[in-house]
Amino acid sequence: MRLRMDLAYDGAGFHGWARQDGLRTVQGELEAALATVLRVPSLSVTCAGRTDTGVHARGQVAHVDVEAAEPDRLRRQLDGLLPDDISVRRVAMAADGFDARFSALWRRYAYRIADHPETVDPLTRGHVLAWRRPLDLGLIEQAATLLLGRHDFAAFCKRREGATTIRTLLSLTWEREPGGLLVGSVVADAFCHHMVRSLVGCLVAVGEGRRPPEWAGEVLAGQTRDPSVTVVPAHGLTLEEVGYPPDDELAGQALAARRVRTLEDEA
């Protein structure tokens, strides 16, 4: 049977999602807890988006295949075993054809920046980037529109041999919250390694006035990693939500995604 798990975690204490020998990771902690509860030697958990070292998640989705389990009881047992920086919010029987990674239509990340002294809060420093210079929201919005659509985002990605960097950026919006915090929301079918943090780095340069808005489009058109684009720190980034089609379309979406995607989803 396949189970769907919805979870959240504070990424500060993890070397990303993916299991790595000798390093603390979200996947490693979750698989160890599952193996203990289910009394099996090992198992493998698949997630919707493999977050990088230091990146947080509120809306991560994963699946695991098990012989048998009672979902609500399993969630309670995991809650008692997992460390405080991981929370499994829901465990449920997965719909037919569900694949946490390949059935996903989109992933939404948020990047939070405190760019004025009055918005810098030591209590939120673990998930908000404190930026010493004010950013112009209007300039950022102008630049962001040039990045939308289906493109080769190689200029914003850490390339991996044999992997595609073509992605569809569905939405890239920015707003100031009532307290003055600047929040960027990024939605795409998938993300390649460092893509979100590089996009934000590009837009921050524009927002500071160091680059004109059209520079973002020029970087994108270059289709090669641009060293002038700063990769902003990981701690300001959070995976907020993953979108899936209706249950009767899950299997078809997974099949289509497997055909075109060769790079595992990372932020």
Side-chain angles (χ1 to χ4, degrees), residues 119-148:
T119 63
V120 176
D121 183 351
L123 299 182
T124 64
R125 68 188 184 278
H127 63 272
V128 177
L129 176 67
W131 198 256
R132 295 184 179 275
R133 293 171 292 278
L135 302 173
D136 187 310
L137 178 57
L139 293 176
I140 289 175
E141 289 176 327
Q142 290 180 48
T145 61
L146 303 176
L147 302 171
L148 296 174

mmCIF file of all heavy atoms in Angstrom, residues 119-148:
data_model
loop_
_atom_site.group_PDB
_atom_site.id
_atom_site.type_symbol
_atom_site.label_atom_id
_atom_site.label_comp_id
_atom_site.label_asym_id
_atom_site.label_seq_id
_atom_site.Cartn_x
_atom_site.Cartn_y
_atom_site.Cartn_z
ATOM 1 N N THR A 119 11.937 46.133 10.109
ATOM 2 C CA THR A 119 11.397 44.802 9.807
ATOM 3 C C THR A 119 12.329 43.679 10.245
ATOM 4 O O THR A 119 11.960 42.507 10.187
ATOM 5 C CB THR A 119 11.118 44.653 8.300
ATOM 6 O OG1 THR A 119 12.339 44.768 7.561
ATOM 7 C CG2 THR A 119 10.132 45.709 7.819
ATOM 8 N N VAL A 120 13.545 44.017 10.655
ATOM 9 C CA VAL A 120 14.500 42.989 11.092
ATOM 10 C C VAL A 120 14.125 42.539 12.505
ATOM 11 O O VAL A 120 14.115 43.334 13.437
ATOM 12 C CB VAL A 120 15.935 43.531 11.063
ATOM 13 C CG1 VAL A 120 16.895 42.479 11.608
ATOM 14 C CG2 VAL A 120 16.327 43.921 9.644
ATOM 15 N N ASP A 121 13.806 41.270 12.633
ATOM 16 C CA ASP A 121 13.363 40.712 13.910
ATOM 17 C C ASP A 121 14.265 39.533 14.275
ATOM 18 O O ASP A 121 14.279 38.517 13.573
ATOM 19 C CB ASP A 121 11.907 40.245 13.785
ATOM 20 C CG ASP A 121 11.330 39.719 15.091
ATOM 21 O OD1 ASP A 121 12.097 39.551 16.057
ATOM 22 O OD2 ASP A 121 10.113 39.450 15.133
ATOM 23 N N PRO A 122 15.023 39.642 15.358
ATOM 24 C CA PRO A 122 15.896 38.533 15.753
ATOM 25 C C PRO A 122 15.145 37.224 15.959
ATOM 26 O O PRO A 122 15.734 36.147 15.827
ATOM 27 C CB PRO A 122 16.520 39.018 17.066
ATOM 28 C CG PRO A 122 16.464 40.504 16.978
ATOM 29 C CD PRO A 122 15.185 40.809 16.247
ATOM 30 N N LEU A 123 13.843 37.292 16.269
ATOM 31 C CA LEU A 123 13.069 36.084 16.516
ATOM 32 C C LEU A 123 12.730 35.335 15.226
ATOM 33 O O LEU A 123 12.339 34.169 15.272
ATOM 34 C CB LEU A 123 11.782 36.429 17.273
ATOM 35 C CG LEU A 123 11.967 37.079 18.645
ATOM 36 C CD1 LEU A 123 10.616 37.329 19.307
ATOM 37 C CD2 LEU A 123 12.839 36.205 19.545
ATOM 38 N N THR A 124 12.868 35.996 14.076
ATOM 39 C CA THR A 124 12.566 35.334 12.800
ATOM 40 C C THR A 124 13.818 35.169 11.937
ATOM 41 O O THR A 124 13.714 34.841 10.759
ATOM 42 C CB THR A 124 11.505 36.126 12.016
ATOM 43 O OG1 THR A 124 12.035 37.418 11.661
ATOM 44 C CG2 THR A 124 10.236 36.303 12.828
ATOM 45 N N ARG A 125 14.977 35.394 12.529
ATOM 46 C CA ARG A 125 16.203 35.377 11.738
ATOM 47 C C ARG A 125 16.483 34.022 11.095
ATOM 48 O O ARG A 125 17.242 33.934 10.130
ATOM 49 C CB ARG A 125 17.397 35.793 12.592
ATOM 50 C CG ARG A 125 17.786 34.794 13.681
ATOM 51 C CD ARG A 125 18.858 35.367 14.601
ATOM 52 N NE ARG A 125 19.324 34.398 15.592
ATOM 53 C CZ ARG A 125 18.690 34.126 16.727
ATOM 54 N NH1 ARG A 125 17.550 34.745 17.008
ATOM 55 N NH2 ARG A 125 19.191 33.240 17.574
ATOM 56 N N GLY A 126 15.849 32.950 11.614
ATOM 57 C CA GLY A 126 16.093 31.624 11.061
ATOM 58 C C GLY A 126 15.399 31.364 9.740
ATOM 59 O O GLY A 126 15.766 30.431 9.014
ATOM 60 N N HIS A 127 14.401 32.199 9.373
ATOM 61 C CA HIS A 127 13.712 31.968 8.102
ATOM 62 C C HIS A 127 13.446 33.249 7.322
ATOM 63 O O HIS A 127 12.711 33.233 6.325
ATOM 64 C CB HIS A 127 12.397 31.214 8.334
ATOM 65 C CG HIS A 127 11.391 31.953 9.161
ATOM 66 N ND1 HIS A 127 11.370 31.881 10.527
ATOM 67 C CD2 HIS A 127 10.375 32.762 8.812
ATOM 68 C CE1 HIS A 127 10.383 32.615 10.994
ATOM 69 N NE2 HIS A 127 9.769 33.171 9.970
ATOM 70 N N VAL A 128 14.034 34.351 7.750
ATOM 71 C CA VAL A 128 13.927 35.624 7.030
ATOM 72 C C VAL A 128 15.327 36.175 6.815
ATOM 73 O O VAL A 128 16.126 36.259 7.754
ATOM 74 C CB VAL A 128 13.072 36.645 7.821
ATOM 75 C CG1 VAL A 128 13.047 37.988 7.088
ATOM 76 C CG2 VAL A 128 11.661 36.119 8.031
ATOM 77 N N LEU A 129 15.632 36.579 5.584
ATOM 78 C CA LEU A 129 16.936 37.152 5.275
ATOM 79 C C LEU A 129 16.944 38.633 5.651
ATOM 80 O O LEU A 129 16.107 39.404 5.177
ATOM 81 C CB LEU A 129 17.247 37.004 3.783
ATOM 82 C CG LEU A 129 18.547 37.656 3.303
ATOM 83 C CD1 LEU A 129 19.757 36.946 3.895
ATOM 84 C CD2 LEU A 129 18.618 37.662 1.776
ATOM 85 N N ALA A 130 17.875 39.035 6.476
ATOM 86 C CA ALA A 130 18.054 40.443 6.811
ATOM 87 C C ALA A 130 18.967 41.080 5.764
ATOM 88 O O ALA A 130 20.120 40.669 5.610
ATOM 89 C CB ALA A 130 18.658 40.589 8.204
ATOM 90 N N TRP A 131 18.429 42.061 5.026
ATOM 91 C CA TRP A 131 19.172 42.715 3.947
ATOM 92 C C TRP A 131 19.422 44.168 4.348
ATOM 93 O O TRP A 131 18.497 44.874 4.749
ATOM 94 C CB TRP A 131 18.363 42.639 2.649
ATOM 95 C CG TRP A 131 19.192 42.879 1.430
ATOM 96 C CD1 TRP A 131 19.237 44.012 0.661
ATOM 97 C CD2 TRP A 131 20.106 41.968 0.819
ATOM 98 N NE1 TRP A 131 20.110 43.869 -0.375
ATOM 99 C CE2 TRP A 131 20.669 42.615 -0.304
ATOM 100 C CE3 TRP A 131 20.519 40.671 1.129
ATOM 101 C CZ2 TRP A 131 21.612 42.002 -1.123
ATOM 102 C CZ3 TRP A 131 21.455 40.052 0.310
ATOM 103 C CH2 TRP A 131 21.994 40.714 -0.805
ATOM 104 N N ARG A 132 20.648 44.621 4.231
ATOM 105 C CA ARG A 132 21.032 45.917 4.782
ATOM 106 C C ARG A 132 20.606 47.102 3.919
ATOM 107 O O ARG A 132 20.630 48.252 4.390
ATOM 108 C CB ARG A 132 22.554 45.966 4.994
ATOM 109 C CG ARG A 132 23.041 44.973 6.034
ATOM 110 C CD ARG A 132 24.524 45.123 6.273
ATOM 111 N NE ARG A 132 24.997 44.182 7.283
ATOM 112 C CZ ARG A 132 24.946 44.394 8.587
ATOM 113 N NH1 ARG A 132 24.419 45.525 9.037
ATOM 114 N NH2 ARG A 132 25.397 43.498 9.440
ATOM 115 N N ARG A 133 20.200 46.861 2.686
ATOM 116 C CA ARG A 133 19.836 47.968 1.807
ATOM 117 C C ARG A 133 18.375 47.843 1.389
ATOM 118 O O ARG A 133 17.895 46.735 1.111
ATOM 119 C CB ARG A 133 20.747 47.970 0.572
ATOM 120 C CG ARG A 133 22.201 48.287 0.913
ATOM 121 C CD ARG A 133 23.127 48.080 -0.259
ATOM 122 N NE ARG A 133 23.257 46.678 -0.615
ATOM 123 C CZ ARG A 133 24.074 45.817 0.007
ATOM 124 N NH1 ARG A 133 24.800 46.220 1.029
ATOM 125 N NH2 ARG A 133 24.152 44.571 -0.388
ATOM 126 N N PRO A 134 17.632 48.954 1.299
ATOM 127 C CA PRO A 134 16.223 48.899 0.904
ATOM 128 C C PRO A 134 16.069 48.466 -0.555
ATOM 129 O O PRO A 134 16.902 48.789 -1.406
ATOM 130 C CB PRO A 134 15.731 50.333 1.118
ATOM 131 C CG PRO A 134 16.961 51.176 1.037
ATOM 132 C CD PRO A 134 18.070 50.336 1.600
ATOM 133 N N LEU A 135 15.016 47.728 -0.818
ATOM 134 C CA LEU A 135 14.743 47.204 -2.156
ATOM 135 C C LEU A 135 13.501 47.865 -2.731
ATOM 136 O O LEU A 135 12.509 48.060 -2.026
ATOM 137 C CB LEU A 135 14.566 45.683 -2.096
ATOM 138 C CG LEU A 135 15.753 44.890 -1.536
ATOM 139 C CD1 LEU A 135 15.391 43.420 -1.369
ATOM 140 C CD2 LEU A 135 16.979 45.044 -2.429
ATOM 141 N N ASP A 136 13.555 48.178 -4.008
ATOM 142 C CA ASP A 136 12.444 48.826 -4.706
ATOM 143 C C ASP A 136 11.521 47.759 -5.276
ATOM 144 O O ASP A 136 11.892 47.041 -6.219
ATOM 145 C CB ASP A 136 12.995 49.718 -5.823
ATOM 146 C CG ASP A 136 11.921 50.556 -6.492
ATOM 147 O OD1 ASP A 136 10.869 49.995 -6.882
ATOM 148 O OD2 ASP A 136 12.146 51.774 -6.646
ATOM 149 N N LEU A 137 10.324 47.644 -4.724
ATOM 150 C CA LEU A 137 9.383 46.609 -5.147
ATOM 151 C C LEU A 137 8.988 46.774 -6.601
ATOM 152 O O LEU A 137 8.850 45.793 -7.342
ATOM 153 C CB LEU A 137 8.145 46.639 -4.246
ATOM 154 C CG LEU A 137 7.026 45.647 -4.569
ATOM 155 C CD1 LEU A 137 7.547 44.212 -4.550
ATOM 156 C CD2 LEU A 137 5.870 45.818 -3.590
ATOM 157 N N GLY A 138 8.802 47.993 -7.054
ATOM 158 C CA GLY A 138 8.409 48.233 -8.444
ATOM 159 C C GLY A 138 9.435 47.730 -9.440
ATOM 160 O O GLY A 138 9.087 47.117 -10.455
ATOM 161 N N LEU A 139 10.715 47.977 -9.168
ATOM 162 C CA LEU A 139 11.776 47.497 -10.057
ATOM 163 C C LEU A 139 11.830 45.975 -10.076
ATOM 164 O O LEU A 139 12.022 45.346 -11.128
ATOM 165 C CB LEU A 139 13.124 48.066 -9.615
ATOM 166 C CG LEU A 139 13.323 49.580 -9.769
ATOM 167 C CD1 LEU A 139 14.677 49.987 -9.201
ATOM 168 C CD2 LEU A 139 13.219 49.982 -11.239
ATOM 169 N N ILE A 140 11.673 45.360 -8.899
ATOM 170 C CA ILE A 140 11.677 43.899 -8.809
ATOM 171 C C ILE A 140 10.538 43.313 -9.634
ATOM 172 O O ILE A 140 10.722 42.333 -10.372
ATOM 173 C CB ILE A 140 11.577 43.456 -7.338
ATOM 174 C CG1 ILE A 140 12.880 43.767 -6.610
ATOM 175 C CG2 ILE A 140 11.260 41.968 -7.237
ATOM 176 C CD1 ILE A 140 12.853 43.471 -5.121
ATOM 177 N N GLU A 141 9.363 43.908 -9.542
ATOM 178 C CA GLU A 141 8.216 43.402 -10.298
ATOM 179 C C GLU A 141 8.444 43.522 -11.809
ATOM 180 O O GLU A 141 8.062 42.622 -12.567
ATOM 181 C CB GLU A 141 6.959 44.164 -9.883
ATOM 182 C CG GLU A 141 6.485 43.825 -8.475
ATOM 183 C CD GLU A 141 5.306 44.659 -8.037
ATOM 184 O OE1 GLU A 141 5.231 45.848 -8.452
ATOM 185 O OE2 GLU A 141 4.465 44.149 -7.284
ATOM 186 N N GLN A 142 9.051 44.606 -12.241
ATOM 187 C CA GLN A 142 9.355 44.758 -13.669
ATOM 188 C C GLN A 142 10.280 43.643 -14.156
ATOM 189 O O GLN A 142 10.066 43.058 -15.222
ATOM 190 C CB GLN A 142 10.006 46.110 -13.930
ATOM 191 C CG GLN A 142 9.104 47.320 -13.783
ATOM 192 C CD GLN A 142 9.859 48.605 -14.058
ATOM 193 O OE1 GLN A 142 10.574 48.735 -15.061
ATOM 194 N NE2 GLN A 142 9.737 49.565 -13.136
ATOM 195 N N ALA A 143 11.326 43.373 -13.393
ATOM 196 C CA ALA A 143 12.288 42.339 -13.783
ATOM 197 C C ALA A 143 11.667 40.953 -13.744
ATOM 198 O O ALA A 143 11.940 40.106 -14.607
ATOM 199 C CB ALA A 143 13.507 42.408 -12.866
ATOM 200 N N ALA A 144 10.811 40.709 -12.753
ATOM 201 C CA ALA A 144 10.227 39.374 -12.584
ATOM 202 C C ALA A 144 9.394 38.955 -13.780
ATOM 203 O O ALA A 144 9.379 37.783 -14.162
ATOM 204 C CB ALA A 144 9.387 39.338 -11.305
ATOM 205 N N THR A 145 8.700 39.901 -14.405
ATOM 206 C CA THR A 145 7.842 39.553 -15.548
ATOM 207 C C THR A 145 8.660 39.017 -16.723
ATOM 208 O O THR A 145 8.130 38.264 -17.552
ATOM 209 C CB THR A 145 7.032 40.777 -16.006
ATOM 210 O OG1 THR A 145 7.922 41.815 -16.430
ATOM 211 C CG2 THR A 145 6.148 41.298 -14.884
ATOM 212 N N LEU A 146 9.935 39.370 -16.811
ATOM 213 C CA LEU A 146 10.780 38.930 -17.917
ATOM 214 C C LEU A 146 11.223 37.476 -17.780
ATOM 215 O O LEU A 146 11.779 36.909 -18.734
ATOM 216 C CB LEU A 146 12.026 39.829 -18.003
ATOM 217 C CG LEU A 146 11.763 41.324 -18.168
ATOM 218 C CD1 LEU A 146 13.073 42.091 -18.138
ATOM 219 C CD2 LEU A 146 11.016 41.594 -19.474
ATOM 220 N N LEU A 147 10.971 36.895 -16.625
ATOM 221 C CA LEU A 147 11.438 35.535 -16.358
ATOM 222 C C LEU A 147 10.333 34.490 -16.474
ATOM 223 O O LEU A 147 10.608 33.286 -16.409
ATOM 224 C CB LEU A 147 12.044 35.472 -14.956
ATOM 225 C CG LEU A 147 13.216 36.430 -14.711
ATOM 226 C CD1 LEU A 147 13.585 36.441 -13.234
ATOM 227 C CD2 LEU A 147 14.416 36.042 -15.563
ATOM 228 N N LEU A 148 9.096 34.937 -16.651
ATOM 229 C CA LEU A 148 7.966 34.008 -16.683
ATOM 230 C C LEU A 148 7.941 33.177 -17.959
ATOM 231 O O LEU A 148 8.420 33.592 -19.010
ATOM 232 C CB LEU A 148 6.651 34.787 -16.557
ATOM 233 C CG LEU A 148 6.438 35.544 -15.243
ATOM 234 C CD1 LEU A 148 5.168 36.373 -15.318
ATOM 235 C CD2 LEU A 148 6.380 34.575 -14.069
#
